[in-house]
Amino acid sequence: MKTVPQNAQVPSSSFKLKTAATALALILASAWLFPIDQANAQSNRAKEKKQAEATRVELQQKLKALKKDISKTESAKEKASDALEESEQAISEANRSIRDLQVEQQQANERLDQLVAEQVRLTTQVEHQKKQLSNFLRRQYMHGDSDRIKLLLSGDNPNRINRDLHYMSYVSQTQAKLITALRVSLDEIEKNKLAAQETKNELDEIAEEERSHKKSLEKEKKRHAALVGELASKLHAQKKEAASLEKDEQRLSNLVIRLNKLMEEQARAEQLRRAQLEKQRQEKLAQDKALRDKNQQAGQVKSGTKTDGKPNRESEEPKGSMVEHVPQSGMFDGQQFSQLRGQLRLPVKGELVAKFGTRRGDGPSWKGLFIKAAEGAEIKAVAAGKVVFAEWLRGFGNMIILDHGGQYLSLYSNTQAVLKHVGDVVKAGDTIANTGNSGGSEETGLYFELRYKGQVFDPMSWVRK
């Protein structure tokens, strides 16, 4: 698609407008000051009219082509915005996956530490049992108690011999079972240790892949954002040029209308002049007087000023204030959200640059707060609640909404990444997202709203002063 340069052909159009305006002035002068040269003046006016009409047609053709290009640019911008939406959603998912993997890694490390501690304990126990067994066998050998034949031939009391034999058999079996059980336990511990290590290694590999994928997504997001900015700038220039061409075309249309009207008036004046010279002189005097009155009135209107007693006051933008305190973990445990008026804290540290109800440039008023913050800053839940929305939404970017019960909702948008899933239960102070500029936001930070029964209200009226 070819871009129509800004102000294309405008110099030639302006030149033609100036020429037409000059011709109009000459025509007026000739009409009133030189009535003898009516035929030549009318011929010149016809030429000027033809030239103005040709210029108007040319401008209309250019305007039509430019509007067609504007339509194409808007379509391209829409596609680029959709691609940017996909990139921002994918980045949010990647960040959420990385965070989930970090939690799994931590749990795997904890299990591994427990298995290692258990192995140390059992190894110590086995060494102790081995030592006891060794001492037992040594004592038996030193005292000759281990020779069962000798015991049978000793001639001792048969009941005692039988009891000693049973005792020796019981001790041997018990020691053998203990050793076997300990060996089985050690084998199981070793297998669990290897399995936990393999799980940890696998999680490390997946996390590394996710980080690499996130980097590529960040590059893609920057490319799409640059494309959207370029198309927006191009669209702005084209619309500005289209507006300029429309004004030029309107001025030419007005000029043609005035030329037609002037030619008709002069034709009637010519007929009257031929019929009654005296009447024409009187009419000319009357017309001269009307022209002077008209010029006088025009001068008064031009120099006059409209005063209605109402000074033009532009809405003052609120000065930015710093947000220093954010919700802490465990705040408001057991309290209903409706009881927290005047106790809440804003969800992220930064500069409060837009407040509820203030004018948003030339657009509507802000329905929430905008807190300017560095990219990636942690966004905290202002109170306990349940995640009911965690997706990308046009105009808001990556957004998460918490339901606090009692028909109270809190909304966090323009985030870089949403870290919770729909259905997750969170507490006050939990990290639920990171700051960013998704959704087309010009600045990095967080847009925050509070709603009751679907209606927005000023969050600052609920924040601790």
Side-chain angles (χ1 to χ4, degrees):
M1 178 178 64
K2 295 183 179 179
T3 303
V4 180
Q6 189 176 3
N7 298 327
Q9 300 298 329
V10 172
S12 61
S13 301
S14 300
F15 176 76
K16 292 177 181 178
L17 284 173
K18 291 180 180 179
T19 303
T22 303
L24 178 60
L26 293 174
I27 290 169
L28 290 171
S30 64
W32 301 113
L33 300 178
F34 305 101
I36 300 175
D37 201 18
Q38 291 288 339
N40 291 335
Q42 190 165 358
S43 176
N44 290 335
R45 284 192 295 275
K47 291 180 181 179
E48 292 296 333
K49 175 187 174 184
K50 185 176 181 181
Q51 180 182 8
E53 287 180 340
T55 305
R56 184 181 62 173
V57 171
E58 180 183 357
L59 282 175
Q60 287 177 339
Q61 292 176 348
K62 291 179 180 177
L63 187 58
K64 183 179 180 180
L66 183 57
K67 287 183 176 179
K68 187 176 180 181
D69 281 346
I70 288 175
S71 178
K72 292 181 180 178
T73 304
E74 287 177 337
S75 177
K77 182 185 176 185
E78 188 72 16
K79 292 180 180 178
S81 298
D82 291 341
L84 180 60
E85 171 190 346
E86 293 177 0
S87 295
E88 290 179 345
Q89 282 182 308
I91 289 171
S92 177
E93 289 295 332
N95 278 317
R96 185 156 51 190
S97 296
I98 291 173
R99 186 180 180 87
D100 292 342
L101 285 171
Q102 288 174 345
V103 173
E104 291 183 24
Q105 284 178 321
Q106 183 177 358
Q107 293 174 350
N109 285 330
E110 290 175 355
R111 289 197 302 270
L112 186 60
D113 291 341
Q114 291 175 356
L115 291 172
V116 170
E118 183 68 11
Q119 184 183 22
V120 171
R121 186 185 69 80
L122 290 175
T123 301
T124 303
Q125 182 178 343
V126 167
E127 291 298 328
H128 179 68
Q129 293 292 339
K130 286 181 179 180
K131 187 175 181 181
Q132 286 182 333
L133 182 60
S134 177
N135 292 334
F136 177 76
L137 294 175
R138 185 181 296 108
R139 284 196 303 270
Q140 285 185 327
Y141 178 78
M142 293 295 295
H143 293 86
D145 296 336
S146 61
D147 190 346
R148 297 189 179 188
I149 296 176
K150 181 179 180 181
L151 181 61
L152 291 172
L153 298 177
S154 63
D156 200 352
N157 188 339
N159 291 330
R160 180 181 177 183
I161 293 173
N162 186 45
R163 186 174 61 253
D164 289 344
L165 288 174
H166 276 291
Y167 173 74
M168 292 175 63
S169 175
Y170 173 75
V171 171
S172 299
Q173 290 176 3
T174 301
Q175 294 292 339
K177 288 180 181 180
L178 179 60
I179 293 172
T180 301
L182 290 175
R183 285 177 178 173
V184 170
S185 298
L186 287 174
D187 290 340
E188 290 296 326
I189 292 296
E190 190 65 26
K191 290 179 181 179
N192 290 338
K193 178 182 176 182
L194 292 175
Q197 187 63 43
E198 290 176 358
T199 302
K200 182 176 179 296
N201 294 338
E202 183 178 355
L203 288 172
D204 289 339
E205 292 177 1
I206 295 174
E208 183 60 31
E209 290 179 2
E210 286 289 340
R211 282 189 286 269
S212 177
H213 182 53
K214 180 188 172 183
K215 287 182 181 179
S216 63
L217 289 172
E218 289 284 0
K219 291 181 181 179
E220 192 70 10
K221 175 190 172 183
K222 290 180 180 179
R223 187 179 70 83
H224 289 311
L227 179 58
V228 170
E230 180 182 347
L231 289 172
S233 177
K234 178 181 178 181
L235 189 60
H236 176 74
Q238 288 178 329
K239 287 183 176 180
K240 185 177 179 181
E241 182 181 356
S244 177
L245 289 176
E246 285 177 343
K247 290 180 181 178
D248 291 344
E249 194 272 337
Q250 185 61 44
R251 281 194 292 266
L252 281 174
S253 297
N254 294 337
L255 178 60
V256 171
I257 292 172
R258 284 185 292 176
L259 286 171
N260 284 331
K261 184 177 180 181
L262 184 59
M263 290 172 67
E264 292 174 359
E265 290 177 353
Q266 288 175 348
R268 289 194 299 268
E270 180 65 17
Q271 292 175 357
L272 292 174
R273 188 185 66 83
R274 291 178 181 177
Q276 297 177 356
L277 292 177
E278 182 61 25
K279 186 177 180 180
Q280 183 185 30
R281 186 178 68 84
Q282 295 296 332
E283 288 179 355
K284 182 176 179 302
L285 291 175
Q287 290 173 352
D288 288 340
K289 184 176 182 303
L291 181 62
R292 287 195 300 272
D293 293 341
K294 184 178 180 181
N295 290 336
Q296 184 177 2
Q297 291 177 358
Q300 290 176 353
V301 171
K302 183 176 181 181
S303 61
T305 57
K306 180 180 179 181
T307 59
D308 54 6
K310 296 180 180 180
N312 181 20
R313 296 180 179 177
E314 297 182 355
S315 60
E316 297 182 358
E317 291 294 333
K319 294 183 179 180
S321 57
M322 299 305 297
V323 179
E324 300 289 347
H325 303 288
V326 296
Q328 300 299 316
S329 179
M331 290 181 69
F332 317 130
D333 283 350
Q335 291 183 263
Q336 299 293 329
F337 190 86
S338 58
Q339 302 172 346
L340 302 182
R341 187 183 183 96
Q343 302 182 52
L344 294 183
R345 292 182 176 179
L346 294 179
V348 68
K349 293 182 179 181
E351 182 182 3
L352 181 59
V353 297
K355 294 184 177 180
F356 179 87
T358 57
R359 289 294 299 274
R360 190 171 186 169
D362 295 330
S365 300
W366 286 91
K367 298 184 183 300
L369 309 176
F370 188 83
I371 304 172
K372 183 179 179 181
E375 182 176 358
E378 291 187 343
I379 299 172
K380 306 290 186 178
V382 296
K386 184 177 181 180
V387 180
V388 294
F389 185 91
E391 296 180 21
W392 192 97
L393 184 66
R394 187 177 298 278
F396 292 87
N398 293 318
M399 181 170 67
I400 184 168
I401 299 177
L402 301 183
D403 179 5
H404 301 288
Q407 302 188 55
Y408 285 96
L409 300 175
S410 60
L411 180 152
Y412 315 74
S413 67
N414 301 128
T415 68
Q416 179 193 63
V418 173
L419 303 179
K420 297 294 182 180
H421 303 266
V422 172
D424 287 351
V425 176
V426 300
K427 294 182 178 180
D430 285 355
T431 301
I432 58 175
N434 300 117
T435 55
N437 63 341
S438 62
S441 176
E442 295 181 358
E443 291 187 301
T444 300
L446 169 70
Y447 175 67
F448 174 67
E449 280 187 11
L450 287 179
R451 290 178 178 260
Y452 175 63
K453 293 184 177 179
Q455 301 297 317
V456 294
F457 61 90
D458 187 2
M460 295 303 295
S461 63
W462 282 58
V463 172
R464 181 189 299 179
K465 305 301 182 183

